[in-house]
Amino acid sequence: MQNTEDEFYAWLRSVASNRTTLRLGIGDDAAVVDIAGTDCVVTSDLLAEGVHFEADTGDFMLVGRKALAVNLSDLAAMAATPVAVTVSLLLNKRQGMRAAKNLISGMSPLAAAHEVALAGGDTNSWDGATIVSVTALGRLEGEPLTRAGARPGDAILVTGTLGGSILGKHLQFDPRVREAIALRSDFEIHAAIDISDGLALDLSRMASASQVGVEIELAHIPISAAAYELASANSNGKSALERALSDGEDFELLLAVPPADAQRICEQGVLGIDVTNIGRFTVARELYRIDEQGKRRPLEVEGYTHGL
Ligand SMILES: [Mg+2]
């Protein structure tokens, strides 16, 4: 899937119309559009019944919250401040207005917490699956933070802990909007991405976009309690570390930061959230993992062949 998806994006970039008002186009966490001299950050994500949630078991309020949160997470990855969202609903007729109200009610507290206006959208119904699509708009202080700015020698930092989000975090996570903005205002941050598809895959995307390589220290990766819980239940034979490397939907921030700033950030954390240094970016455009014995091996990126 990832191969296909990334191939599609490459094709899309080759055919998409471009304008000088498009400051940052397809391929990052969000786009940046110049509107009358002001940068507007825009991103869009959808959740579909049968793909991302099930109508019979899913809690539509949590689905609504998540539909907003994934968009806010993409704005966070640009260090953008959310301003407004539009919400488009394609509802299954049997679920009707009740589902619609639950979806919106689930979004509202998170929208309020981030002072985001619900500016509009569209609603339709049909006999098929329910789909919720959110488009979020944000503003920037200064230049956009992209995934393409990592430099050799930069430390690789991650917020929070990783792995096992399926146990609940994938629905209840806090998008790291304030954390990203605080880090951006107090420190030199070269690049950022939100971890939506797993640490290894999203790190490989940042390395590819930045034209650098990486070395990660496996012993330093902050593994979540949920990852340990799933590993001990041995649900699919994956270790807690493997889960931290490859599980998706943690929505933590992955950052490229010069070493001196990285040390200060890790010492103090950000807004009560731990930040961990897990390795470094390198000149050689290859991906490596260093184990506890100091042995260096290629980092395998599950489901994705990186094109470095
Ligand atoms: Mg993203």
Side-chain angles (χ1 to χ4, degrees), residues 60-122:
F60 276 63
M61 286 185 69
L62 285 177
V63 172
R65 184 192 187 279
K66 180 174 181 174
L68 175 59
V70 294
N71 280 276
L72 298 186
S73 184
D74 275 331
L75 291 184
M78 313 297 287
T81 302
V83 174
V85 293
T86 60
V87 179
S88 294
L89 303 174
L90 181 54
L91 300 160
N92 176 278
K93 279 178 185 153
R94 277 173 289 109
Q95 295 156 18
M97 277 304 127
R98 192 179 141 86
K101 286 180 179 170
N102 281 338
L103 287 166
I104 299 297
S105 299
M107 288 180 199
S108 294
L110 186 64
H114 287 276
E115 298 174 29
V116 181
L118 174 53
D122 195 11

Side-chain angles (χ1 to χ4, degrees), residues 28-29 70 73-74 77 147 193-196 202:
D28 218 295
D29 292 283
V70 294
S73 184
D74 275 331
R147 52 177 77 173
I193 187 171
D194 66 322
I195 304 178
S196 53
D202 287 318

Side-chain angles (χ1 to χ4, degrees), residues 14 38 43 48-49 63 70 72 75 86 100 116-117 124 164 170 193 203 211 228-229 251 274 286:
S14 74
T38 301
T43 185
E49 178 190 338
V63 172
V70 294
L72 298 186
L75 291 184
T86 60
V116 181
N124 282 286
H170 75 112
I193 187 171
L203 181 58
Q211 302 185 28
Y228 283 113
E229 193 180 321
F251 298 103
D274 285 340
E286 288 157 347

